[in-house]
Amino acid sequence: MHLLHGVVLDVKTIKMMTLYSNSSILFRHTIVSAGILVGIACGIGGCKSTYVPPVQSTAKRDSLLARSFSSNGQLQLQEDSDVTNVNPHVRFGSQDNILVADFAEFQLRVYDAVGHLLHHYGSKGREAGQFSVPLTSVLQLSSGTMVVTDFGGTIFQLDSGLSAVMRKTETDLLPLYSATIMNDSTLLLIGRPRSVRSGEPAPLLHLFDLKSNRITRSFFTAPVQPFLAPAAVSLGITSAAIHADTIATVFALTDTIFLFNTSGAAIGRVPIPFRLFSYIKHPAPSGETVADRERWLREISLITDIFWLRDGSFIIQFYRDDEPRKENGLLIMDRLGRVRMEALDTPRLIAMDEERTQSRFFFASSGREGMRVWNMATYPAMDSSH
Amino acid sequence: MEYGHLSRYGLFALIISATLWTGCKSVESAARPKYAGDTLHLQASGIRTRKLGLLWILRAEDCLTCFTPSVLLRQAQRRLGPSVGITLAVVKGDSQEVAAYADRERLNTDIVVVRAASNLGEIAKEAPILVALQDSVIAGSWNEGELATLSTDSIMAAVRRLQANSH
């Protein structure tokens, strides 16, 4: 059984997406773009709310994590004069290699299973061997070919040694949040078609045929309440995981797992019974001060990732941006919606490797080295059945 | 939340940009450096940098866009080593937030919060990364704020010029 994990985004990516997801003036004239979007945003009224954030003690969180995961050591990624891990989007390739597309560094990397740097390719720029748009995912086909996506909707294909770009394809997606391999001839792309006018419902999942080099089907228009429609555009983070012949997807603002078959037909929904998730209750305040709007923003949680485990259960990662504190949360539930664990203030779950006999998880360590030094864990915890 | 992060930073950026545009008229052109190699005294802005280093004047939009010069600063940090420090100046910002941001960006920086924008805003618009020596700066790039043109090589060249002049 082949399992693929979801997409990992972090606060910086979310902010970037928020700014650009609805802009036709991409990657230039930042202030102008922001101003246009603010203008759209300011057209919506709102009201004040009294907010009491969910609370969970550190001890309880640690206890919950320890009951779910078994610590399995640390992985330190090698860095050199060209390489710094800042915002890695991680997948796994052949021979347990770790594939990194670094959104902040415009760079691809291949590490071996113990963190030795094998190859790296790219930097920010417009010359040969450089990328001008941040990278959002890297995948490896069974042929060894590396498939890379960028935020602007371009798909690159490189050789396994990352020596050169062999093929480059532009898509209609902007942003292109991420991609996942369905099979060797089909990718699942996650993104918003730029041809859909702002404010109109847009399909977020797309099947991309690698042979014909085009999108063959688009589906999954995120259902949100009308008052959330504008937010659904700029915060339209979507994550997907594939388990055998089923796609599970989550949308930032909707507490539901949506299930599709590999043709894109809807086959079910599973509610996510959050207790610690902060829902949007009101539109953003309009005509208020910046501080009011910041306060509103800090009140809400966003779903950022879904991971689908071998035993059929799901891990949902969610996030709240309470500056300067960035708070991730994790919820583990089974296919029937029964919660096994929910915790706040958890370390960021960077990636999941399902290719081994036991699921391995990679969490960012604390501190500024967190994206270079990962804490490894297995699930379920060794003693969880006792 | 369209207007969540978006409006929070977007509005902030809009206000800043409007201030900058209107402020252009009030800043005497002679008060700021125009060409690479020109210097500007920073004392009036309350900034103190390390003896030799890079000064990044953080703008609101730098915190959230992929155009942030942090990628260039990381390159410089890797190539120049710890002897050349980086100072991050933010106008009326929250030092805790900026410190968290610098941590996420994996930048080893000193952080300075400047109370008054003075003419820093005008400088930041055009060249947010500057090479600094004591209380003066030398322009890194003055090409219409086009960050892509501010290569690590140009920073290195400016640092070398400064080093030569300081000996």
Side-chain angles (χ1 to χ4, degrees):
Chain A
M1 187 174 293
H2 189 66
L3 298 170
L4 292 164
H5 59 77
V7 183
V8 176
L9 301 169
D10 75 354
V11 56
K12 185 176 168 189
T13 312
I14 292 167
K15 286 178 175 176
M16 232 270 313
M17 288 172 178
T18 302
L19 182 66
Y20 287 106
S21 60
N22 199 25
S23 173
S24 60
I25 310 169
L26 182 67
F27 304 126
R28 293 178 65 84
H29 308 302
T30 305
I31 291 174
V32 176
S33 300
I36 292 168
L37 292 170
V38 167
I40 296 168
C42 288
I44 294 163
C47 54
K48 291 183 178 177
S49 61
T50 304
Y51 174 65
V52 180
V55 176
Q56 187 178 58
S57 72
T58 305
K60 183 171 182 187
R61 175 205 62 196
D62 292 345
S63 166
L64 286 168
L65 286 173
R67 272 190 277 161
S68 301
F69 297 95
S70 289
S71 177
N72 194 22
Q74 262 190 350
L75 179 74
Q76 300 203 19
L77 300 182
Q78 182 185 353
E79 295 183 341
D80 63 19
S81 59
D82 293 324
V83 173
T84 306
N85 285 282
V86 183
N87 186 357
H89 293 200
V90 178
R91 297 296 171 86
F92 295 88
S94 59
Q95 300 172 326
D96 286 336
N97 285 345
I98 299 164
L99 315 178
V100 173
D102 197 314
F103 186 92
E105 283 281 287
F106 300 67
Q107 190 175 70
L108 303 168
R109 298 169 204 130
V110 178
Y111 288 95
D112 69 13
V114 293
H116 293 132
L117 183 63
L118 301 178
H119 312 288
H120 65 86
Y121 179 92
S123 59
K124 183 179 180 180
R126 297 186 181 277
E127 306 295 322
Q130 294 186 310
F131 297 103
S132 57
V133 178
L135 305 176
T136 51
S137 61
V138 53
L139 313 160
Q140 188 167 29
L141 304 176
S142 61
S143 62
T145 298
M146 299 285 190
V147 178
V148 179
T149 61
D150 77 16
F151 193 75
T154 304
I155 300 170
F156 302 89
Q157 292 186 39
L158 292 88
D159 62 290
S160 59
L162 297 182
S163 61
V165 173
M166 302 183 297
R167 191 173 195 181
K168 180 179 170 183
T169 307
E170 308 281 350
T171 71
D172 179 46
L173 303 178
L174 176 66
L176 171 49
Y177 295 123
S178 180
T180 293
I181 296 174
M182 297 272 294
N183 54 55
D184 256 6
S185 62
T186 310
L187 300 179
L188 177 68
L189 304 182
I190 303 174
R192 184 173 294 272
R194 67 185 88 191
S195 54
V196 175
R197 287 195 306 174
S198 176
E200 292 184 358
L204 297 169
L205 300 182
H206 314 270
L207 301 180
F208 182 85
D209 187 280
L210 285 163
K211 290 175 184 162
S212 62
N213 232 23
R214 64 185 183 86
I215 290 173
T216 56
R217 179 162 164 69
S218 296
F219 54 101
F220 183 49
T221 302
V224 293
Q225 297 178 53
F227 83 94
L228 288 178
V233 176
S234 64
L235 288 173
I237 301 157
T238 305
S239 175
I242 300 172
H243 193 153
D245 58 358
T246 304
I247 300 165
T249 190
V250 287
F251 182 71
L253 307 175
T254 306
D255 57 353
T256 303
I257 298 170
F258 301 87
L259 302 172
F260 298 89
N261 65 21
T262 48
S263 300
I267 56 174
R269 297 179 176 197
V270 184
I272 307 171
F274 283 120
R275 287 184 304 109
L276 302 174
F277 188 84
S278 302
Y279 291 91
I280 299 179
K281 297 183 177 68
H282 313 284
S286 171
E288 307 285 343
T289 65
V290 171
D292 284 334
R293 298 165 73 82
E294 282 196 10
R295 198 175 305 115
W296 176 86
L297 186 64
R298 291 174 184 191
E299 293 175 1
I300 64 171
S301 301
L302 302 170
I303 299 173
T304 56
D305 308 285
I306 181 169
F307 300 88
W308 201 343
L309 307 185
R310 196 185 302 273
D311 67 2
S313 52
F314 298 102
I315 294 183
I316 309 294
Q317 185 158 235
F318 55 103
Y319 160 82
R320 191 158 61 90
D321 180 7
D322 194 3
E323 288 276 7
R325 179 177 167 153
K326 314 291 178 191
E327 188 173 76
N328 287 302
L330 285 179
L331 179 144
I332 305 178
M333 58 182 270
D334 66 17
R335 180 80 177 253
L336 299 175
R338 292 177 297 211
V339 175
R340 294 177 181 167
M341 189 276 279
E342 185 180 13
L344 275 181
D345 199 18
T346 52
R348 178 181 161 194
L349 178 51
I350 295 174
M352 178 183 82
D353 180 8
E354 276 282 12
E355 298 303 317
R356 297 179 176 216
T357 53
Q358 192 172 26
S359 304
R360 286 198 312 161
F361 293 85
F362 297 83
F363 290 93
S365 61
S366 59
R368 66 188 306 277
E369 296 281 299
M371 291 301 162
R372 185 185 70 82
V373 180
W374 300 349
N375 291 322
M376 296 187 291
T378 54
Y379 175 90
M382 296 302 285
D383 60 350
S384 64
S385 58
H386 300 298
Chain B
M1 147 154 184
E2 210 41 338
Y3 17 94
H5 284 102
L6 168 56
S7 56
R8 162 160 75 135
Y9 290 105
L11 187 58
F12 196 40
L14 195 64
I15 291 166
I16 286 184
S17 65
T19 307
L20 290 176
W21 280 111
T22 53
C24 288
K25 295 172 184 173
S26 61
V27 176
E28 289 181 27
S29 58
R32 61 183 175 81
K34 284 182 178 174
Y35 305 104
D38 284 359
T39 61
L40 170 76
H41 290 282
L42 293 174
Q43 276 181 334
S45 298
I47 287 183
R48 287 180 169 211
T49 64
R50 296 179 187 183
K51 184 174 181 184
L52 176 65
L54 305 177
L55 171 67
W56 176 16
I57 304 169
L58 189 70
R59 305 167 300 177
E61 66 269 28
D62 288 334
C63 290
L64 67 156
T65 75
C66 54
F67 308 101
T68 167
S70 60
V71 63
L72 298 172
L73 285 169
R74 280 191 296 274
Q75 281 176 21
Q77 195 170 261
R78 286 193 296 261
R79 292 172 66 176
L80 299 171
S83 61
V84 177
I86 297 172
T87 300
L88 215 161
V90 56
V91 179
K92 296 178 180 175
D94 179 314
S95 60
Q96 257 195 312
E97 278 191 28
V98 177
Y101 172 72
D103 273 353
R104 286 197 298 277
E105 290 292 324
R106 294 195 62 191
L107 292 170
N108 292 314
T109 62
D110 290 338
I111 292 166
V112 179
V113 176
V114 184
R115 290 182 186 281
S118 176
N119 55 6
L120 278 181
E122 175 66 7
I123 297 167
K125 190 180 76 173
E126 299 193 44
I129 300 178
L130 307 167
V131 180
L133 179 64
Q134 290 181 323
D135 68 341
S136 297
V137 295
I138 288 189
S141 169
W142 296 103
N143 187 8
E144 301 292 332
E146 190 67 55
L147 299 182
T149 64
L150 183 56
S151 67
T152 308
D153 286 339
S154 70
I155 294 174
M156 298 276 287
V159 168
R160 279 194 291 272
R161 278 201 306 276
L162 274 174
Q163 284 173 325
N165 292 339
S166 63
H167 289 152

